[in-house]
Amino acid sequence: MQWKNVLSTMKPYKPGRSTEEVKKAYQLEKVVKLASNENPYGCASSVAEFLSSASMPFEIYPDGHGTTLRTKLAEKHGVDESSILFGNGSDEIISIITRALLDEKVHTIMPTPTFPQYIHNAKIEGADITEIPLKNRHHDLDNFIGAINDRTAVIWVCNPNNPTGSLIPNDELESFLERVPQNILVVLDEAYFEYVTDPDHVDSVTLISRFPNIVVLRTFSKAYGLASFRIGYAVGSSDIITELNKVRNPFNNNTLAVAVASKALEDDAFIEKCRKLNEIQRERYKSFAFEKGLHIFDSETNFVLIEVPGDADEASEFLLRHGYIIRSGNALGTPGYVRITIGSEEQNTGLLEAFKLLLHEKGRE
């Protein structure tokens, strides 16, 4: 087979271990997964009720336009329906953008560490890649500007950033966007937008009229609790979305996913409840870190990146043996830290108790 040369330097995505796998491997009766930033409160009750009674014509292709969901999202964001692009999760939209704009002749810029799908897809397309290390644990936007050249086609901004959870102040973001040439696409990946509690944060969709070269990514996988349905969307100028739609596969969202996401949009109270509960529990982790003398990144998401004693893989394994699946920072570009999804009050209580045992074993408790 005549594979692309770059594939020999890459590895397939490796999913985390399932709860059933961990139960079997460690003879545990209860395992809590806090590794993938899913919503511990599930989805809205109205969605669950809808699923119990929904009837779908299985033999009919999905509505390739996602009409009902498109109309609701356009109304929610105050944009034209032609300004919305759907993806099989935000991951597919990232693939669509890279396929439409990147090749071996062009250049792309991204932070590091950040969501790995940016560099993964850019490598497949053969693009020239510049990674800009975080500065003081935040996007170094000045160095982003300094890295722009006449071949730059896409700049990736993860806001809040994964895996650090850090949020770019709005004035810094707008100042950055003002300096980016209009012929460069700036992708604002906002998968955790619904969890942001900073009162000064501005909805980036409202910036599209001023900066028509941006596209904003959102997802139903996080706060909406619909990760298994794989549905994300992008909002941008009609001109940009039209070009990206040329790359999108037809029927890329199934009928049930579109229907469920449409229903989920009707329950703003559920999202507000999850945001408040998440903030309360996020403060618990901050207090714990302060009490134990551990560094923790400021987070505006439903996860925290917290320092561990010793090696991050060893710490992750220790917590795994105690029934908690988390992510080692060694796999995220943040050695010495682990990323923990903020669970329910009960889940977090158990995790923090296990964390105390880890500290004790390492002589820190």
Side-chain angles (χ1 to χ4, degrees), residues 3 16 63 72 173 182 190 196 234 241 246 279 297 332 343:
W3 306 110
D63 172 8
K72 288 186 176 181
L173 179 62
Q182 291 290 297
E190 300 183 347
V196 174
I241 298 300
K246 296 175 182 178
E279 183 180 22
F297 282 76
L332 303 172

Side-chain angles (χ1 to χ4, degrees), residues 335-355:
Y337 291 79
V338 295
R339 192 189 68 189
I340 304 172
T341 301
I342 299 169
S344 65
E345 180 178 8
E346 178 184 4
Q347 290 171 338
N348 296 326
T349 295
L351 183 284
L352 291 175
E353 287 300 319
F355 209 118

